[in-house]
Amino acid sequence: MQEKDLIKYIKGEANPEEKKSIIEWIREDVEHQKYFTILKAKYVASNLDSLDHIDTDLPYKRFSNKSKKKKAYYYPTAAILILLPLLTWYLFTFSENSLLVDTTNFLEFDTKNIATKYGDQETIVLPDGSTVVLNSNSRLSYSKKFSDSIRTVTLVGEAFFDIKRDTTKPFIVQTEHLKVRVLGTSFNVKSYPKDENIETTLVTGKVEVLQKSNKTPIVLAPSQRAIFDKQKRDIRVNKVDTKNAVAWRQGKLVFDKTPLKQVVLDLKRKYSVEFIIESDSLLDYKYTGEFDNLSLEEVLKLFKLSSSINYKYKNNKVMLNSE
């Protein structure tokens, strides 16, 4: 998408077809959303001099010659009043825990943004009747009305998708590094910013997993999981028990030789508690076990009974160490 076309849209000069094309382009990729946001911020800032064309000193004309001084102070104040909310919104949008760009504020086509807190889940019905179960500390962004040719959502975090089949409208889940393309199926996507991997697990149907740097998609069959290693930038596929992969929907956490670093990330999202691994020997420890709707205290006691992991509380954090 060319910059001149985006500027045309920002200025409100694009026709309906151009608007539709630009909105679809923005929503199809997080990087597109970031680029558009920065471009709009720059455009607004560069046009602050348009204040010169406004008769802002009208209320001051009833005063003496001091009005000129007041007017001189008014312009930078007006600029600050415009830039401050824009800057605040910009910094919030690109904070560490918010990779999604909230396009609600500047797109005519309403965008729906759903976010969950630690320990929460939410079921969402999409415009086409598909359903999404959003796991804790996750965010889903989508249009209130899908376009005629494609159904696209953007995910940060984890969600289970049950998609209505429509051969004329592919369904695409956009994550930080991957795209998952389907026609009608059920699958799970786990893509948290702080996790080392992005996982796509197919329950029924067929999905294509596409890495941005590779045009050849990986096709998954039921009970297969694609694991994208963010550091190595590669994808491997293995066979899994899908019941374990989506057990979080029933409040369960199932680990199978899972690195402890990943285990504590999942526990933090469920129990909203910070974990600190104190012993270096535990950094490479892999844990196997199942927590079936247990309290945090029950989880910690099970840790201690089933492994060499000990724990203590310190400053409202859980400190883990080897016995």
Side-chain angles (χ1 to χ4, degrees):
M1 184 65 64
Q2 294 188 7
E3 182 177 311
K4 64 178 183 179
D5 296 322
L6 297 176
I7 293 295
K8 186 177 179 181
Y9 173 82
I10 292 170
K11 294 168 66 177
E13 298 175 355
N15 62 43
E17 284 300 316
E18 290 171 332
K19 289 180 182 179
K20 179 180 177 182
S21 176
I22 290 171
I23 290 170
E24 289 183 356
W25 179 83
I26 292 172
R27 287 182 177 141
E28 72 180 11
D29 195 306
V30 173
E31 293 302 318
H32 293 176
Q33 297 175 14
K34 292 179 181 178
Y35 178 76
F36 179 85
T37 302
I38 294 171
L39 185 64
K40 182 177 176 68
K42 288 181 178 178
Y43 175 80
V44 173
S46 68
N47 283 275
L48 287 176
D49 58 356
S50 62
L51 289 169
D52 293 334
H53 304 295
I54 303 175
D55 189 8
T56 54
D57 61 335
L58 184 60
Y60 303 98
K61 287 181 179 178
R62 65 188 63 179
F63 293 98
S64 63
N65 292 333
K66 293 182 180 180
S67 62
K68 292 184 179 180
K69 294 182 179 180
K70 292 183 179 180
K71 178 177 151 184
Y73 284 105
Y74 180 80
Y75 287 132
T77 303
I80 291 172
L81 289 175
I82 291 177
L83 278 175
L84 184 58
L86 177 65
L87 180 61
T88 302
W89 168 79
Y90 178 81
L91 291 174
F92 173 78
T93 299
F94 292 107
S95 66
E96 179 183 359
N97 294 323
S98 182
L99 296 183
L100 275 182
V101 177
D102 186 354
T103 56
T104 305
N105 293 330
F106 54 82
L107 292 181
E108 287 101 325
F109 285 35
D110 289 337
T111 299
K112 190 80 170 179
N113 294 281
I114 307 295
T116 53
K117 299 178 181 179
Y118 286 117
D120 290 341
Q121 294 181 18
E122 185 161 345
T123 300
I124 304 159
V125 180
L126 298 178
D128 64 342
S130 300
T131 58
V132 181
V133 182
L134 196 62
N135 202 358
S136 65
N137 192 33
S138 300
R139 182 174 298 188
L140 188 75
S141 177
Y142 61 94
S143 172
K144 289 183 179 179
K145 183 178 180 181
F146 288 135
S147 71
D148 294 334
S149 59
I150 197 169
R151 298 172 288 170
T152 302
V153 302
T154 307
L155 172 69
V156 175
E158 184 171 18
F160 177 81
F161 296 84
D162 191 357
I163 304 305
K164 294 284 187 180
R165 182 173 179 81
D166 187 342
T167 57
T168 65
K169 282 188 181 182
F171 188 95
I172 294 177
V173 179
Q174 175 72 54
T175 70
E176 184 181 3
H177 296 282
L178 300 177
K179 286 184 179 179
V180 181
R181 182 180 183 275
V182 304
L183 293 176
T185 185
S186 58
F187 59 100
N188 194 81
V189 178
K190 186 178 185 182
S191 178
Y192 286 102
K194 292 187 178 181
D195 286 7
E196 295 179 355
N197 301 320
I198 297 176
E199 300 179 2
T200 302
T201 305
L202 181 61
V203 179
T204 62
K206 183 175 72 173
V207 301
E208 295 177 346
V209 179
L210 182 64
Q211 187 179 348
K212 288 185 178 180
S213 60
N214 190 346
K215 294 184 179 180
T216 303
I218 293 176
V219 180
L220 296 183
S223 298
Q224 284 188 327
R225 174 177 58 184
I227 304 173
F228 173 75
D229 188 310
K230 295 179 182 178
Q231 185 174 4
K232 296 179 180 178
R233 313 290 292 185
D234 63 8
I235 300 177
R236 67 183 188 274
V237 177
N238 60 12
K239 194 170 182 62
V240 295
D241 185 340
T242 56
K243 290 185 297 184
N244 292 339
V246 299
W248 59 265
R249 292 189 301 160
Q250 284 77 45
K252 301 178 183 178
L253 289 176
V254 180
F255 302 105
D256 184 12
K257 298 179 181 178
T258 305
L260 187 62
K261 291 184 292 184
Q262 181 61 53
V263 172
V264 297
L265 285 173
D266 289 340
L267 291 176
K268 175 183 177 180
R269 293 169 191 138
K270 182 173 178 61
Y271 297 102
S272 189
V273 175
E274 189 77 31
F275 286 79
I276 304 295
I277 300 176
E278 291 188 308
S279 301
D280 291 341
S281 60
L282 293 179
L283 294 177
D284 297 321
Y285 183 84
K286 294 184 178 180
Y287 183 79
T288 297
E290 177 178 334
F291 304 137
D292 189 352
N293 288 284
L294 302 180
S295 67
L296 176 61
E297 192 62 34
E298 289 172 331
V299 168
L300 295 174
K301 288 181 179 179
L302 188 55
F303 257 153
K304 190 172 182 178
L305 289 173
S306 60
S307 68
S308 59
I309 300 173
N310 202 355
Y311 70 94
K312 62 182 179 182
Y313 290 98
K314 184 178 180 180
N315 298 327
N316 295 321
K317 297 179 181 179
V318 178
M319 320 300 289
L320 300 180
N321 51 70
S322 56
E323 293 182 330

